[in-house]
Amino acid sequence: MLVCAVLTLLFGCRSVEHVPVPSVSVDSVYVDRFHRDSVYLHDSVFVNQWVQGDTVYRDRVVMKYAYKDRWRYDTVAVLRADTVSVPYPVEKDLGWWERTKLSAFPVLVATVAVLAFVILWLARKLGRG
């Protein structure tokens, strides 16, 4: 019974684990946008030369309208890199059962010692008599 109690108490606790952390962490954000780019072009040529004596007539009228509508696709990428060089220990909080075992351990050891002393004392006294 004593051996079972001691083994139960010995295997109840764990040591601290070191969790390996990745050395490089990259965070990327992509923002896509469509831009409308429109160009309105109005070109007109109006040449008017008019002479009546000895007749020089010149008339030229050119009107040109151009309307261009264009969509542009724009992508903005934001990249961030974070480097961690040393792993750090991770400890989780103890549950109620682990806290109870840790607080009751000295009382249990004292109880086991007293019971062992009483059992040995009774074995000697009954063995003589």
Side-chain angles (χ1 to χ4, degrees):
M1 186 165 156
L2 179 63
V3 173
C4 289
V6 170
L7 286 177
T8 302
L9 291 174
L10 286 178
F11 291 113
C13 298
R14 274 181 31 180
S15 62
V16 176
E17 289 183 23
H18 289 278
V19 176
V21 178
S23 61
V24 176
S25 173
V26 176
D27 185 20
S28 62
V29 176
Y30 290 99
V31 178
D32 296 333
R33 284 186 249 164
F34 285 103
H35 292 288
R36 182 179 177 198
D37 188 11
S38 61
V39 177
Y40 180 70
L41 212 69
H42 173 73
D43 188 16
S44 65
V45 176
F46 182 77
V47 176
N48 189 5
Q49 247 180 344
W50 203 268
V51 177
Q52 219 133 11
D54 215 8
T55 316
V56 172
Y57 299 104
R58 194 171 187 192
D59 215 0
R60 182 176 177 193
V61 176
V62 176
M63 294 186 134
K64 189 174 10 172
Y65 292 100
Y67 181 74
K68 291 184 180 180
D69 195 11
R70 183 166 59 169
W71 289 91
R72 286 194 167 174
Y73 180 69
D74 188 18
T75 302
V76 177
V78 178
L79 299 174
R80 291 184 297 173
D82 186 22
T83 59
V84 177
S85 59
V86 180
Y88 55 92
V90 175
E91 296 180 18
K92 72 173 192 178
D93 294 334
L94 296 176
W96 69 272
W97 178 243
E98 285 93 11
R99 286 192 306 264
T100 305
K101 285 194 296 185
L102 286 176
S103 63
F105 183 71
V107 175
L108 185 62
V109 169
T111 305
V112 168
V114 168
L115 283 176
F117 178 74
V118 168
I119 290 173
L120 288 175
W121 182 74
L122 283 175
R124 283 189 182 180
K125 188 172 184 179
L126 293 177
R128 284 188 200 169

